[in-house]
Amino acid sequence: MRVGIDAVAVAVPESYLELADLARARSVPEAKYLEGLGVQRMSIAGPHEDPVALAANAARRLFATSGAEASRIGLCVVGTETGVDHSKPIAAFLHRLLGLPQRCRVYETKHACFGGTAGVLTAVDWIASGSARGKSALVVCTDIARYELGSAGEPTQGAGGVALLLSESPRLLELEPGASGSFSRDVDDFWRPLHRKEALVDGQLSVQCYLDALAGAYAAFREVAPGAQLSRRCYHVPYGKMARKAHRHVLALEGRSEAEADASFAQEVAPSLRLPAQVGNIYTGSLWLSLASLLEAEAATLEGQRIGLFSYGSGCAAEFFAGTVARGAGAFARSLRLSEPLERRRRLTVTEYEAIRRGDADADARPAESGRYGSVAYLGTRDDKRQYQAAVAR
Ligand code: HMG
């Protein structure tokens, strides 16, 4: 049986911050962010753009652009590390906002940035095992990455949702159940205690943990897929430079030099970094945004070719696996207009960005107000229950 990614869609907040503006405000050389970290802009979620709204907007766009029907979904998994409730999963909110059928399994997964990939791999096994009985799975990755203002992590924030449809007739990427390498261990590289909105991180340790996990997962992948030729590689992208470090590291494991890795980077990795450089780290969605970026740029030329995928979640869990670009994926990926949501964004000043961040503190207890938004929006709470405005036609 074939199984894999049938369609994908992206949702981003309506505003973004130029990293050059942030560098000036923090008295840091612009080149450190733009070249040293490899980031240009980061999406900033406004008061009405919580993780539920971002997830719902990504999934609605998925249905609208791919022609998929909510009534055909039998499993809906939301991967997030920005949960909005200790008990109620974002998937339950989506069930209503998307009109999913009652005969549908819905839940949320968490393992830092790995949570979305955990959902994808579970969905693949669910379909491959026959449990899906012809139904499709919806996996939505949604996150808002926040670090303390002025901290080293601040330029590596971002926000967004990526919705993925998995089925037994994948129009984009055929995945290979079981042909995957896992790596896990308990480390304190990045974490977010229950009382905090902003993550805490040991930055340099987190980079090393990422690279160690990549080495472990890649070795495990090579044991199950020794001869697999990879024409492109998509990595988890907390910032673009990390993908460059990852590529050098993994090619060194293949016995190739740093110069060879740098020479192949432009062809094998750079096309997958275009969207992440405009959006920032979206945690669970990061690998999938990099895949969307690659498919938008090159799906037509990659049909029939295998690409490698690496997902890393701090704490940590990682997986290296591969997929083959489907025949016809070029034309289909073009029809999905994957980067269109980025074209409508508004540039914030640093003062506006800082005001939004100050408002985050009370967002989960804000009394609900009425609103008329063109996409799904978070309105605040009533009796401690979160309220949403479904999209209003404009
Ligand atoms: P830092 O201390 O600000 O930066 O932290 P640095 O001093 O390491 O410099 C960064 C790079 O800029 C260096 O390049 C400098 O040389 C260069 P590198 O040596 O790495 O190649 N640089 C310049 N380049 C040009 N012109 C200049 C200049 N100055 C310096 N003038 C750090 C950087 C990434 C650690 C920080 O931003 C951070 O803590 N970020 C958050 C953590 C993170 O993203 N970690 C990545 C791995 S862990 C992960 O991916 C999981 C995660 O997504 C969470 C999850 O799983 O949920 C984070």
Side-chain angles (χ1 to χ4, degrees), residues 167-202:
S167 80
E168 55 186 46
S169 46
R171 286 171 284 180
L172 292 176
L173 191 73
E174 196 166 328
L175 294 169
E176 297 154 33
S180 157
S182 313
F183 178 91
S184 300
R185 66 182 169 137
D186 179 6
V187 280
D188 289 319
D189 62 333
F190 164 106
W191 65 106
R192 186 164 70 84
L194 289 173
H195 59 94
R196 289 182 62 98
K197 280 261 181 214
E198 295 88 9
L200 296 171
V201 62
D202 183 337

Tab-separated table of all heavy atoms in Angstrom, residues 167-202:
chain	number	residue	atom	x	y	z
A	167	SER	N	-2.594	10.261	3.376
A	167	SER	CA	-3.569	9.337	2.800
A	167	SER	C	-2.852	8.201	2.103
A	167	SER	O	-1.624	8.175	2.007
A	167	SER	CB	-4.468	10.075	1.811
A	167	SER	OG	-3.791	10.211	0.578
A	168	GLU	N	-3.663	7.265	1.557
A	168	GLU	CA	-3.057	6.146	0.820
A	168	GLU	C	-2.923	6.459	-0.663
A	168	GLU	O	-2.577	5.589	-1.452
A	168	GLU	CB	-3.864	4.865	1.058
A	168	GLU	CG	-5.313	4.981	0.723
A	168	GLU	CD	-6.108	3.738	1.118
A	168	GLU	OE1	-5.926	3.252	2.251
A	168	GLU	OE2	-6.898	3.273	0.275
A	169	SER	N	-3.192	7.702	-1.036
A	169	SER	CA	-2.927	8.125	-2.424
A	169	SER	C	-2.220	9.485	-2.381
A	169	SER	O	-2.791	10.502	-2.766
A	169	SER	CB	-4.225	8.195	-3.223
A	169	SER	OG	-5.214	8.857	-2.462
A	170	PRO	N	-0.974	9.502	-1.865
A	170	PRO	CA	-0.282	10.775	-1.646
A	170	PRO	C	0.094	11.477	-2.950
A	170	PRO	O	0.748	10.896	-3.809
A	170	PRO	CB	0.986	10.351	-0.889
A	170	PRO	CG	1.190	8.912	-1.198
A	170	PRO	CD	-0.167	8.336	-1.440
A	171	ARG	N	-0.336	12.733	-3.060
A	171	ARG	CA	-0.041	13.490	-4.284
A	171	ARG	C	1.287	14.237	-4.188
A	171	ARG	O	1.746	14.792	-5.166
A	171	ARG	CB	-1.177	14.483	-4.561
A	171	ARG	CG	-2.442	13.824	-5.094
A	171	ARG	CD	-3.615	14.779	-5.154
A	171	ARG	NE	-4.194	15.027	-3.836
A	171	ARG	CZ	-5.245	15.828	-3.610
A	171	ARG	NH1	-5.800	16.483	-4.611
A	171	ARG	NH2	-5.710	15.986	-2.389
A	172	LEU	N	1.902	14.296	-2.972
A	172	LEU	CA	3.148	15.048	-2.842
A	172	LEU	C	4.354	14.160	-2.520
A	172	LEU	O	5.344	14.182	-3.241
A	172	LEU	CB	3.008	16.121	-1.746
A	172	LEU	CG	2.062	17.271	-2.049
A	172	LEU	CD1	1.953	18.208	-0.845
A	172	LEU	CD2	2.503	18.066	-3.280
A	173	LEU	N	4.269	13.419	-1.427
A	173	LEU	CA	5.462	12.700	-0.956
A	173	LEU	C	5.075	11.336	-0.396
A	173	LEU	O	4.305	11.257	0.562
A	173	LEU	CB	6.142	13.520	0.149
A	173	LEU	CG	7.522	13.044	0.571
A	173	LEU	CD1	8.561	13.363	-0.509
A	173	LEU	CD2	7.945	13.723	1.882
A	174	GLU	N	5.626	10.288	-1.011
A	174	GLU	CA	5.357	8.940	-0.514
A	174	GLU	C	6.351	8.604	0.590
A	174	GLU	O	7.568	8.748	0.392
A	174	GLU	CB	5.515	7.958	-1.674
A	174	GLU	CG	4.908	6.632	-1.385
A	174	GLU	CD	4.752	5.777	-2.648
A	174	GLU	OE1	4.536	6.329	-3.748
A	174	GLU	OE2	4.872	4.569	-2.502
A	175	LEU	N	5.836	8.231	1.765
A	175	LEU	CA	6.721	7.911	2.898
A	175	LEU	C	6.887	6.390	2.995
A	175	LEU	O	6.116	5.638	2.390
A	175	LEU	CB	6.157	8.502	4.186
A	175	LEU	CG	6.149	10.044	4.202
A	175	LEU	CD1	5.337	10.584	5.370
A	175	LEU	CD2	7.569	10.605	4.237
A	176	GLU	N	7.886	5.956	3.755
A	176	GLU	CA	8.210	4.527	3.810
A	176	GLU	C	8.045	4.051	5.248
A	176	GLU	O	8.957	4.234	6.067
A	176	GLU	CB	9.646	4.329	3.326
A	176	GLU	CG	9.829	4.753	1.872
A	176	GLU	CD	11.263	5.164	1.532
A	176	GLU	OE1	12.209	4.594	2.106
A	176	GLU	OE2	11.420	6.060	0.687
A	177	PRO	N	6.874	3.473	5.611
A	177	PRO	CA	6.648	3.069	7.002
A	177	PRO	C	7.755	2.155	7.499
A	177	PRO	O	8.157	1.228	6.803
A	177	PRO	CB	5.306	2.314	6.942
A	177	PRO	CG	4.662	2.769	5.684
A	177	PRO	CD	5.751	3.143	4.730
A	178	GLY	N	8.270	2.467	8.671
A	178	GLY	CA	9.297	1.616	9.286
A	178	GLY	C	10.718	1.952	8.879
A	178	GLY	O	11.656	1.608	9.586
A	179	ALA	N	10.902	2.625	7.738
A	179	ALA	CA	12.274	2.927	7.270
A	179	ALA	C	12.716	4.252	7.858
A	179	ALA	O	12.800	5.266	7.179
A	179	ALA	CB	12.312	2.967	5.746
A	180	SER	N	12.960	4.229	9.166
A	180	SER	CA	13.178	5.479	9.859
A	180	SER	C	14.100	5.239	11.040
A	180	SER	O	14.074	4.166	11.648
A	180	SER	CB	11.772	5.936	10.268
A	180	SER	OG	11.796	6.790	11.314
A	181	GLY	N	14.954	6.225	11.353
A	181	GLY	CA	15.895	6.069	12.463
A	181	GLY	C	15.553	6.997	13.607
A	181	GLY	O	15.441	8.201	13.415
A	182	SER	N	15.396	6.432	14.816
A	182	SER	CA	15.028	7.256	15.983
A	182	SER	C	16.234	7.454	16.893
A	182	SER	O	17.138	6.612	16.951
A	182	SER	CB	13.974	6.558	16.846
A	182	SER	OG	12.950	6.053	16.070
A	183	PHE	N	16.177	8.531	17.668
A	183	PHE	CA	17.200	8.787	18.700
A	183	PHE	C	16.541	9.581	19.821
A	183	PHE	O	15.851	10.571	19.558
A	183	PHE	CB	18.352	9.613	18.117
A	183	PHE	CG	19.410	9.945	19.142
A	183	PHE	CD1	20.498	9.109	19.338
A	183	PHE	CD2	19.303	11.092	19.928
A	183	PHE	CE1	21.468	9.407	20.286
A	183	PHE	CE2	20.266	11.398	20.889
A	183	PHE	CZ	21.348	10.550	21.061
A	184	SER	N	16.729	9.162	21.060
A	184	SER	CA	16.180	9.905	22.210
A	184	SER	C	17.134	9.856	23.391
A	184	SER	O	17.879	8.878	23.552
A	184	SER	CB	14.862	9.286	22.699
A	184	SER	OG	13.908	9.298	21.690
A	185	ARG	N	17.115	10.887	24.204
A	185	ARG	CA	17.780	10.845	25.525
A	185	ARG	C	17.253	12.020	26.353
A	185	ARG	O	16.644	12.943	25.794
A	185	ARG	CB	19.298	10.878	25.406
A	185	ARG	CG	19.866	12.162	24.862
A	185	ARG	CD	21.392	12.083	24.729
A	185	ARG	NE	21.849	13.231	23.968
A	185	ARG	CZ	22.918	13.955	24.266
A	185	ARG	NH1	23.655	13.650	25.302
A	185	ARG	NH2	23.265	14.984	23.523
A	186	ASP	N	17.490	11.973	27.661
A	186	ASP	CA	16.982	13.032	28.549
A	186	ASP	C	18.050	14.119	28.699
A	186	ASP	O	19.103	13.873	29.285
A	186	ASP	CB	16.642	12.405	29.904
A	186	ASP	CG	16.132	13.425	30.914
A	186	ASP	OD1	15.933	14.603	30.534
A	186	ASP	OD2	15.928	13.055	32.081
A	187	VAL	N	17.784	15.297	28.127
A	187	VAL	CA	18.735	16.422	28.246
A	187	VAL	C	17.966	17.706	28.575
A	187	VAL	O	16.803	17.860	28.213
A	187	VAL	CB	19.533	16.669	26.931
A	187	VAL	CG1	20.675	15.689	26.801
A	187	VAL	CG2	18.649	16.650	25.703
A	188	ASP	N	18.647	18.644	29.240
A	188	ASP	CA	18.048	19.945	29.557
A	188	ASP	C	18.636	21.003	28.629
A	188	ASP	O	19.401	21.863	29.053
A	188	ASP	CB	18.317	20.313	31.024
A	188	ASP	CG	17.503	19.446	31.967
A	188	ASP	OD1	16.324	19.191	31.671
A	188	ASP	OD2	18.051	19.005	32.996
A	189	ASP	N	18.302	20.921	27.346
A	189	ASP	CA	18.842	21.909	26.397
A	189	ASP	C	17.868	23.064	26.186
A	189	ASP	O	18.270	24.197	25.942
A	189	ASP	CB	19.232	21.251	25.066
A	189	ASP	CG	18.068	20.603	24.320
A	189	ASP	OD1	17.081	20.190	24.978
A	189	ASP	OD2	18.129	20.519	23.082
A	190	PHE	N	16.586	22.780	26.298
A	190	PHE	CA	15.538	23.774	26.030
A	190	PHE	C	14.296	23.257	26.714
A	190	PHE	O	13.966	22.078	26.604
A	190	PHE	CB	15.339	23.858	24.500
A	190	PHE	CG	14.073	24.520	24.041
A	190	PHE	CD1	14.104	25.797	23.506
A	190	PHE	CD2	12.851	23.856	24.104
A	190	PHE	CE1	12.934	26.415	23.058
A	190	PHE	CE2	11.685	24.464	23.675
A	190	PHE	CZ	11.735	25.739	23.144
A	191	TRP	N	13.582	24.117	27.437
A	191	TRP	CA	12.400	23.674	28.164
A	191	TRP	C	11.532	24.887	28.458
A	191	TRP	O	11.977	26.035	28.315
A	191	TRP	CB	12.785	22.906	29.429
A	191	TRP	CG	13.503	23.730	30.475
A	191	TRP	CD1	12.993	24.182	31.645
A	191	TRP	CD2	14.881	24.182	30.443
A	191	TRP	NE1	13.943	24.887	32.349
A	191	TRP	CE2	15.108	24.913	31.632
A	191	TRP	CE3	15.923	24.066	29.528
A	191	TRP	CZ2	16.329	25.514	31.932
A	191	TRP	CZ3	17.147	24.666	29.822
A	191	TRP	CH2	17.338	25.380	31.021
A	192	ARG	N	10.277	24.640	28.858
A	192	ARG	CA	9.397	25.770	29.210
A	192	ARG	C	8.548	25.346	30.400
A	192	ARG	O	7.554	24.641	30.242
A	192	ARG	CB	8.509	26.160	28.012
A	192	ARG	CG	7.688	27.436	28.289
A	192	ARG	CD	7.133	28.032	27.019
A	192	ARG	NE	6.097	27.243	26.417
A	192	ARG	CZ	4.804	27.272	26.742
A	192	ARG	NH1	4.385	28.064	27.712
A	192	ARG	NH2	3.930	26.510	26.116
A	193	PRO	N	8.955	25.751	31.630
A	193	PRO	CA	8.202	25.358	32.829
A	193	PRO	C	6.740	25.801	32.717
A	193	PRO	O	6.429	26.779	32.028
A	193	PRO	CB	8.915	26.115	33.948
A	193	PRO	CG	10.275	26.430	33.420
A	193	PRO	CD	10.110	26.600	31.939
A	194	LEU	N	5.855	25.117	33.448
A	194	LEU	CA	4.410	25.352	33.304
A	194	LEU	C	4.011	26.798	33.575
A	194	LEU	O	3.030	27.288	33.044
A	194	LEU	CB	3.640	24.425	34.256
A	194	LEU	CG	3.649	22.949	33.847
A	194	LEU	CD1	3.004	22.091	34.928
A	194	LEU	CD2	2.953	22.734	32.516
A	195	HIS	N	4.789	27.507	34.408
A	195	HIS	CA	4.385	28.868	34.773
A	195	HIS	C	4.906	29.916	33.787
A	195	HIS	O	4.695	31.105	33.997
A	195	HIS	CB	4.891	29.198	36.191
A	195	HIS	CG	6.396	29.091	36.311
A	195	HIS	ND1	7.214	30.177	36.140
A	195	HIS	CD2	7.195	28.037	36.543
A	195	HIS	CE1	8.481	29.787	36.275
A	195	HIS	NE2	8.482	28.494	36.523
A	196	ARG	N	5.589	29.506	32.722
A	196	ARG	CA	6.212	30.498	31.836
A	196	ARG	C	5.635	30.496	30.426
A	196	ARG	O	5.300	29.452	29.888
A	196	ARG	CB	7.714	30.217	31.719
A	196	ARG	CG	8.517	30.530	32.967
A	196	ARG	CD	9.973	30.259	32.677
A	196	ARG	NE	10.444	31.130	31.601
A	196	ARG	CZ	11.111	32.262	31.802
A	196	ARG	NH1	11.419	32.642	33.017
A	196	ARG	NH2	11.484	33.001	30.783
A	197	LYS	N	5.536	31.694	29.825
A	197	LYS	CA	5.169	31.819	28.405
A	197	LYS	C	6.403	31.681	27.524
A	197	LYS	O	6.321	31.288	26.366
A	197	LYS	CB	4.567	33.218	28.135
A	197	LYS	CG	3.123	33.355	28.537
A	197	LYS	CD	2.233	33.186	27.324
A	197	LYS	CE	0.777	33.339	27.714
A	197	LYS	NZ	-0.098	32.489	26.938
A	198	GLU	N	7.565	32.128	28.060
A	198	GLU	CA	8.789	32.115	27.260
A	198	GLU	C	9.609	30.867	27.582
A	198	GLU	O	9.702	30.463	28.736
A	198	GLU	CB	9.670	33.341	27.552
A	198	GLU	CG	9.058	34.665	27.144
A	198	GLU	CD	8.207	35.268	28.251
A	198	GLU	OE1	8.232	34.735	29.382
A	198	GLU	OE2	7.501	36.255	27.978
A	199	ALA	N	10.223	30.316	26.537
A	199	ALA	CA	11.070	29.136	26.738
A	199	ALA	C	12.382	29.534	27.397
A	199	ALA	O	12.837	30.676	27.274
A	199	ALA	CB	11.358	28.489	25.382
A	200	LEU	N	12.983	28.576	28.097
A	200	LEU	CA	14.337	28.723	28.634
A	200	LEU	C	15.242	27.824	27.805
A	200	LEU	O	14.810	26.755	27.350
A	200	LEU	CB	14.369	28.300	30.100
A	200	LEU	CG	13.525	29.186	31.019
A	200	LEU	CD1	13.426	28.573	32.414
A	200	LEU	CD2	14.098	30.600	31.086
A	201	VAL	N	16.465	28.254	27.595
A	201	VAL	CA	17.320	27.475	26.720
A	201	VAL	C	18.773	27.631	27.126
A	201	VAL	O	19.197	28.705	27.566
A	201	VAL	CB	17.094	27.908	25.243
A	201	VAL	CG1	17.465	29.357	25.004
A	201	VAL	CG2	17.844	27.020	24.262
A	202	ASP	N	19.519	26.531	27.001
A	202	ASP	CA	20.973	26.586	27.094
A	202	ASP	C	21.428	26.517	25.632
A	202	ASP	O	21.581	25.421	25.058
A	202	ASP	CB	21.461	25.381	27.918
A	202	ASP	CG	22.971	25.407	28.122
A	202	ASP	OD1	23.666	26.052	27.323
A	202	ASP	OD2	23.433	24.763	29.075
